[in-house]
Amino acid sequence: MILNQVGTRRFKAYTSKHLDELLQRAGLSDESRLKVRAVATVLPFRTNAYVVDELIDWSAAPDDPIYRLVFPQEDMLPEADVARLADLLKAEAPNAEIQAEANRVRAQLNPHPAGQKELNVPTMDDEPVPGMQHKYPETVLFFPKQGQTCHAYCTYCFRWAQFVGDADLKFASDDIDQMVSYIRHHPEVTSVLITGGDAMIMGEPVIRRYIEPLLGLEQLESIRIGTKALAYWPQRFTTDPDADSTLGLFEEVVNAGKNLAFMAHFTHPRELESPLVESAVRRILGSGATIRTQAPLIRSINDDPAVWSGMWRRQLRMGMIPYYMFVERDTGPQDYFAVPLARAYEVFRDAYSSVSGLCRTVRGPSMSATPGKVCVDGVTEIAGERVFMLHFIQSRDPSLVGRPFFARYDPTAVWLTDLRPALADRFPFEPAEALLPA
């Protein structure tokens, strides 16, 4: 295959210092650019030349979906907060004053949803283990220190707190021995998810340091890599200097008897169209790894059944496995991107019903909430009451997995905490004592 010019170009990042210049390319007014810059003091901005030059349709900006996927929008945060920050920027206030206001706004955005800090951090010898999460018995998440950035940031990202420079908000560790020791002491762990950020931001020698020690753990069945590199920098697997050695490492994982699963994020069909992506997918699959695809349902970007069915079909043709449609998490600018659960179910149902059985490996819409992954199975009427049908795909309490439960129908609900139990006094994950009078 003949690669286009961008296929041989070195990686070039754009950060907040380039933001105003790029916004002018989108045709934004001075006032709008100032407001976007204000939002970018709170939420992180980073993109790269491949996204800017190959994926965004600048003639359609700022309404282009890929543009909206990576560029902050002036109305993503409360108007009063944006106005205060814009005034500080316009007045050229000291950076410390701007950051103090930005930190105040961040604190209101639920930076660590679903009990990540309080419930998910494991302990050894009664001390918390940094850079790890252990929510479900079988799976440990590890956040390698060098992998806590991305080729580009998604505006909807639920891990935005990893990227704002606040050590108190960040999960990260380079203690490989501690990771291995923890897994050895927990034989129920059969899968490790290397996440971030994006693990594939690391070069091969670095990611090898994290993966090789896992190969000798017989209890492990799979190693997962959470990445959006296939969408945002497919050159990582084709023309980057360490592309071949990276694929060689993947082969070593497979030859060691582990399933190597790429958890690839594709949020819009355009991310799949480049010949570079096709080449990268073929090379990864050629190493023996599998690629499973997932993304959240995002208002104004992919809230259309045809978008999802088209993505799933194309992913299937390319050899990937459609895996999850997520619900936008309750963090950051959730109000800006969230799709009501009733509409989310309709989008999933209509997309699911229009694809073949081989695409129906996909699950959703799924909420990664505090008690576990909750799937919205439908809307129906029982005993005269309209209800959501739900079940746990995964749960902190394994006894709840697969058990159906019901919630009162609410057309405005966007998250599990917006729902109220139906046909029962409480949800199955709620303790009975919560019902006792104070």
Side-chain angles (χ1 to χ4, degrees):
M1 184 186 77
I2 299 175
L3 299 176
N4 60 20
Q5 184 181 3
V6 77
T8 58
R9 191 183 306 167
R10 292 185 65 83
F11 181 81
K12 178 183 178 181
Y14 295 104
T15 62
S16 56
K17 66 182 179 182
H18 307 102
L19 182 55
D20 196 62
E21 177 186 350
L22 291 168
L23 294 173
Q24 291 181 50
R25 189 170 174 180
L28 269 63
S29 67
D30 291 349
E31 181 182 0
S32 290
R33 296 202 312 274
L34 179 63
K35 289 180 179 179
V36 171
R37 287 171 50 217
V39 172
T41 66
V42 176
L43 300 170
F45 170 73
R46 176 181 168 92
T47 189
N48 68 65
Y50 174 77
V51 176
V52 167
D53 297 334
E54 301 293 313
L55 296 186
I56 294 174
D57 178 0
W58 287 97
S59 67
D63 296 323
D64 176 71
I66 304 298
Y67 175 90
R68 299 180 70 80
L69 185 57
V70 294
F71 279 82
Q73 311 298 313
E74 61 183 271
D75 53 347
M76 282 175 64
L77 298 175
E79 185 177 355
D81 292 335
V82 175
R84 277 193 296 271
L85 285 161
D87 287 344
L88 291 172
L89 291 175
K90 190 173 184 178
E92 298 184 352
N95 185 62
E97 187 176 350
I98 295 171
Q99 285 305 307
E101 179 63 17
N103 288 337
R104 184 194 66 79
V105 177
R106 287 185 190 123
Q108 301 172 358
L109 298 178
N110 189 23
H112 282 299
Q116 291 186 95
K117 281 276 191 178
E118 302 82 5
L119 302 175
N120 293 3
V121 176
T123 60
M124 286 185 68
D125 300 322
D126 296 322
E127 292 293 329
V129 181
M132 291 181 66
Q133 292 185 26
H134 191 183
K135 182 175 182 179
Y136 307 125
E138 304 86 359
T139 305
V140 158
L141 277 62
F142 188 77
F143 297 75
K145 183 178 180 180
Q146 299 90 337
Q148 299 317 305
T149 187
C150 299
H151 294 96
Y153 295 147
C154 298
T155 44
Y156 64 75
C157 182
F158 81 96
R159 293 220 188 273
W160 61 271
Q162 291 285 97
F163 316 130
V164 295
D166 188 335
D168 291 337
L169 295 179
K170 195 169 189 175
F171 286 99
S173 174
D174 59 1
D175 194 335
I176 301 167
D177 291 339
Q178 188 178 52
M179 170 181 65
V180 171
S181 177
Y182 180 85
I183 295 169
R184 287 190 190 279
H185 282 85
H186 289 269
E188 73 275 15
V189 175
T190 59
S191 182
V192 173
L193 170 57
I194 299 174
T195 187
D198 193 322
M200 296 316 305
I201 205 78
M202 297 186 287
E204 184 272 337
V206 179
I207 195 169
R208 176 179 288 275
R209 290 199 345 247
Y210 289 100
I211 287 180
E212 267 192 341
L214 300 175
L215 302 186
L217 296 175
E218 292 188 8
Q219 72 195 76
L220 287 186
E221 300 167 358
S222 64
I223 296 172
R224 295 184 243 179
I225 296 177
T227 183
K228 200 168 168 66
L230 277 169
Y232 282 167
W233 189 252
Q235 295 93 319
R236 180 66 186 83
F237 311 100
T238 57
T239 58
D240 273 9
D242 61 345
D244 290 346
S245 57
T246 298
L247 293 164
L249 173 61
F250 296 168
E251 290 182 1
E252 291 177 37
V253 175
V254 175
N255 291 337
K258 313 296 185 189
N259 179 283
L260 178 61
F262 257 63
M263 318 310 292
H265 292 245
F266 291 105
T267 317
H268 190 270
R270 199 180 304 157
E271 297 171 331
L272 292 156
E273 292 174 358
S274 171
L276 285 170
V277 178
E278 294 183 3
S279 177
V281 168
R282 283 198 300 269
R283 299 200 79 200
I284 294 168
L285 295 177
S287 74
T290 60
I291 304 174
R292 295 179 183 268
T293 62
Q294 56 191 27
L297 178 65
I298 301 295
R299 184 165 59 88
S300 83
I301 292 174
N302 61 18
D303 52 339
D304 180 342
V307 167
W308 285 89
S309 60
M311 283 200 295
W312 294 337
R313 286 194 184 107
R314 187 160 195 150
Q315 290 159 5
L316 178 67
R317 289 197 301 270
M318 295 169 73
M320 296 183 279
I321 304 168
Y323 189 51
Y324 266 120
M325 175 197 280
F326 289 118
V327 174
E328 171 67 353
R329 287 200 182 187
D330 56 336
T331 181
Q334 182 200 26
D335 292 343
Y336 186 81
F337 289 121
V339 175
L341 296 177
R343 175 59 184 159
Y345 168 69
E346 291 175 353
V347 172
F348 180 85
R349 178 199 62 201
D350 291 349
Y352 190 84
S353 67
S354 64
V355 297
S356 74
L358 290 176
C359 284
R360 293 182 182 176
T361 50
V362 70
R363 297 180 287 186
S366 170
M367 291 177 277
S368 291
T370 301
K373 283 190 174 72
V374 177
C375 188
V376 181
D377 292 325
V379 176
T380 191
E381 188 172 302
I382 299 177
E385 183 176 359
R386 200 174 188 197
V387 298
F388 285 113
M389 301 180 293
L390 309 152
H391 85 279
F392 278 101
I393 297 172
Q394 184 59 284
S395 175
R396 293 183 191 277
D397 178 357
S399 70
L400 297 180
V401 174
R403 285 178 52 187
F405 63 102
F406 303 91
R408 297 175 190 170
Y409 178 78
D410 180 349
T412 66
V414 297
W415 195 249
L416 184 64
T417 52
D418 296 330
L419 299 177
R420 297 294 174 263
L423 311 177
D425 294 327
R426 62 184 177 91
F427 288 127
F429 52 86
E430 292 177 331
E433 55 266 25
L435 298 175
L436 297 176

